[in-house]
Amino acid sequence: MNEKITSRECIMQLIRTRMASRHAMQRLLRNSNAGITFEMLQIMSCLWSEQGVTQQTLAERTAKDKACLSSLMTNLERKGLVCRHENPKDRRNKLVYLTEKGEEFHQRIAPQLKEYYDRLERILGKEQIKLTDKLLKDLQHAIETY
């Protein structure tokens, strides 16, 4: 393989890979009758590792703007998966928590998500995963410091 890969082609492949990942996760959610979107899953996933965070923190962790996040939060609340409580330290900010139904959803979907990620690890191997993670972090740093 003697073709020269440019940084532009690398970025384009990254975008295609992101879209493929998103579509695969949407299929998983649809096949699991999860009743939520990929974007909602991103928020839920953040809350599975840490609850009681601000909407601003969730926006940063999911790379969503405030308006988009607010809409997603409203939909997740309607589904009974999350709730927002006033922050006692700053009444302008709301803290986000999973509800009991949100916890139950996590228990239900976690095995399928684990299977998805385990499959990727079996196909690529732990060393390739580690190398890819490092390269993506290096690429992110190079882009952010432009």
Side-chain angles (χ1 to χ4, degrees):
M1 187 177 221
N2 234 359
E3 70 183 81
K4 183 180 177 206
I5 302 295
T6 67
S7 56
R8 182 184 184 285
E9 290 163 336
C10 180
I11 295 294
M12 293 305 295
Q13 182 58 53
L14 178 65
I15 292 166
R16 287 189 295 271
T17 302
R18 181 191 180 281
M19 290 304 296
S21 174
R22 186 177 190 283
H23 287 132
M25 197 56 67
Q26 286 172 318
R27 272 192 309 278
L28 183 150
L29 291 169
R30 190 172 44 253
N31 292 340
S32 302
N33 294 318
I36 67 169
T37 65
F38 173 75
E39 289 76 15
M40 290 176 184
L41 179 64
Q42 288 179 298
I43 293 166
M44 296 291 290
S45 182
C46 288
L47 293 171
W48 293 335
S49 56
E50 183 183 9
Q51 292 197 54
V53 295
T54 64
Q55 286 187 212
Q56 179 62 40
T57 299
L58 288 172
E60 290 166 5
R61 291 182 184 168
T62 59
K64 307 267 181 251
D65 62 49
K66 284 184 179 182
C68 178
L69 185 85
S70 184
S71 173
L72 289 168
M73 291 301 305
T74 299
N75 288 330
L76 285 167
E77 274 186 317
R78 279 190 198 131
K79 292 179 176 293
L81 298 172
V82 303
C83 59
R84 293 182 266 194
H85 296 291
E86 199 171 86
N87 184 346
K89 295 177 185 170
D90 182 355
R91 295 178 59 191
R92 294 169 297 168
N93 283 317
K94 302 267 190 217
L95 300 178
V96 183
Y97 297 89
L98 290 173
T99 62
E100 188 175 318
K101 187 175 177 181
E103 292 282 2
E104 290 168 2
F105 175 81
H106 180 214
Q107 298 306 313
R108 185 169 66 85
I109 199 78
Q112 288 108 322
L113 294 172
K114 183 178 180 335
E115 183 180 311
Y116 172 81
Y117 291 114
D118 286 350
R119 178 180 178 274
L120 292 178
E121 193 170 292
R122 280 193 308 275
I123 292 169
L124 295 174
K126 289 183 187 227
E127 287 306 311
Q128 279 289 90
I129 296 282
K130 280 184 0 188
L131 177 60
T132 302
D133 182 61
K134 182 194 178 323
L135 292 172
L136 288 171
K137 286 176 180 172
D138 290 348
L139 179 60
Q140 179 184 354
H141 178 74
I143 291 169
E144 288 177 346
T145 58
Y146 176 76

